[in-house]
Amino acid sequence: MTSETDPTVTATTDPTSDDLTTDGLDAFAPAEAPVAGPDDDSFALFEGDEGRLDAAQRRALVALLKHRYVSPALQPAEWRTVLESESLLRSRLNELFLELEVDRSAEVAFKRQAGSESGRRPFPTLLHDTSYSREETILLVYLRTRLRTELANGARAAIVEHDELLGFVASFRPEHATDRARDDGRVERAIDKLLTARVLLRTKDARRHRIASVVETLLPLERLQELLEWLETQTAAVDPASEQPRPDAHADSDSDDEPDGTAAESQDSPDDRTQPPAAEDDR
C-alpha cells in the first residue's frame, strides 16, 4: 500500500541539531508587524511620546499657554497653526478648563479661564488674577482710543512717544498731588507692565512704542465708553490720603509674564475708594 504525502509540507530533523527544519511552513507563519518609517503618519517626537498633536500644533499650544496672546506680528508660524487647527487646540485648552478666543479682525488669539454657567469659577485654575493700577487703566483707555484713531486714518500701525504717555496720565493728576516724581514713577511702572504684557511693543527707539492690536480686545467700545466717563469724573473724587484709587479691573496673568509665578502686587492702597467700571482681561 502506498501512503500519500502532502507535497507542500515536509519536516525533517537533523540528529546532530535540536532545530526543527521546516520546508514549506513559511506560508503559515504570522506576518511580521510593519516597522514605522520616517514618512509614516506618526505624532511621536520622543521616546514614549503618546501625544496626538504634531510638532507645529504643540508649539502653537505652548505659545497660547505661555503668552497672553498669539499674533501674526509676534508669532507668525504659531498664528497660522492656530487658524488651521483652531478646533483641535480649543479642545486641548478645554481639557484644562480654558477657552480659546480667536479674533481674526484684530489678529489675536488668547486663552480665557472657563467659568460655570452660574458665573462662578469652580474649576481648578492655571491663571491668576492681577489688578490694573489706576495708571494702567488710564493708559489702556488712551492706547485704545489712539489705535482706533490711527487705523481710521489709514495708518498700518500706531506709534506713541514715551513722553506722550507720561503727559496723558499727568493730565489726570489731582490738584492736591504735588509729588510729581512719585507720580511719574508710577506711570513708568505702568508702562513697563504694559510692555511686559505686550500691550505695548518695543521699537528700535526705546522712547517710542507700538500699540498692539490686542488692546481692542481688552477694551471693547462699550467698555471704553464706560472708562472714559469714569476718567472724566474720577480726578476730583480721589482720596487725598491715598492719592491712588484702585480700578476694579483685573487680568488673568500667566507665569510667563510674572517670572516668580505669583500674582503681581498692586502698588495701590487697599483703602482706595474710587472705582472705575471693570475692564476685565481674562488672560
Side-chain angles (χ1 to χ4, degrees), residues 20-250:
L20 177 67
T21 60
T22 58
D23 297 328
L25 291 178
D26 291 343
F28 298 94
E32 294 183 2
V35 177
D39 297 330
D40 289 350
D41 186 18
S42 173
F43 295 99
L45 301 178
F46 50 87
E47 185 177 358
D49 181 8
E50 297 184 4
R52 302 305 299 169
L53 300 181
D54 62 30
Q57 291 165 340
R58 297 183 195 199
R59 290 190 180 97
L61 181 60
V62 169
L64 286 167
L65 289 170
K66 184 177 181 181
H67 302 295
R68 292 194 176 224
Y69 67 92
V70 170
S71 72
L74 297 175
Q75 306 107 332
E78 287 78 3
W79 169 253
R80 287 193 299 270
T81 302
V82 168
L83 297 184
E84 294 166 358
S85 306
E86 181 178 345
S87 178
L88 187 57
L89 294 172
R90 176 175 286 108
S91 174
R92 293 297 185 270
L93 289 174
N94 291 165
E95 291 171 354
L96 300 176
F97 303 108
L98 298 173
E99 297 175 334
L100 173 62
E101 298 289 341
V102 180
D103 189 333
R104 284 175 167 77
S105 60
E107 294 190 319
V108 292
F110 57 92
K111 61 190 176 297
R112 188 189 299 278
Q113 185 65 52
S116 67
E117 294 182 357
S118 64
R120 293 189 293 268
R121 292 182 176 178
F123 309 127
T125 61
L126 292 174
L127 308 179
H128 57 271
D129 290 343
T130 59
S131 296
Y132 286 132
S133 70
R134 173 177 175 271
E135 286 75 19
E136 289 173 84
T137 302
I138 295 173
L139 287 172
L140 283 172
V141 169
Y142 180 72
L143 295 175
R144 175 67 174 84
T145 306
R146 178 66 181 276
L147 177 65
R148 188 180 181 212
T149 300
E150 293 295 325
L151 295 181
N153 291 335
R156 299 183 60 182
I159 304 295
V160 291
E161 301 287 341
H162 195 90
D163 292 340
E164 178 184 346
L165 299 177
L166 291 171
F168 182 78
V169 178
S171 68
F172 291 90
R173 183 178 293 123
E175 293 182 1
H176 60 262
T178 57
D179 192 342
R180 181 169 181 175
R182 183 185 63 175
D183 291 343
D184 286 347
R186 286 172 172 167
V187 182
E188 290 287 357
R189 288 193 295 271
I191 293 173
D192 287 342
K193 287 187 69 175
L194 294 181
L195 284 166
T196 300
R198 296 189 299 178
V199 174
L200 283 172
L201 303 177
R202 303 179 192 277
T203 67
K204 294 180 180 179
D205 186 342
R207 303 294 292 180
R208 305 184 78 213
H209 315 298
R210 182 161 64 91
I211 305 173
S213 60
V214 72
V215 73
E216 293 187 286
T217 304
L218 295 178
L219 289 181
L221 288 178
E222 60 275 9
R223 188 64 54 79
L224 176 65
Q225 185 59 41
E226 292 177 1
L227 287 171
L228 283 172
E229 293 173 359
W230 172 79
L231 288 174
E232 291 174 355
T233 60
Q234 64 83 41
T235 301
V238 174
D239 182 357
S242 66
E243 298 185 2
Q244 184 72 358
R246 171 184 290 175
D248 185 17
H250 72 271

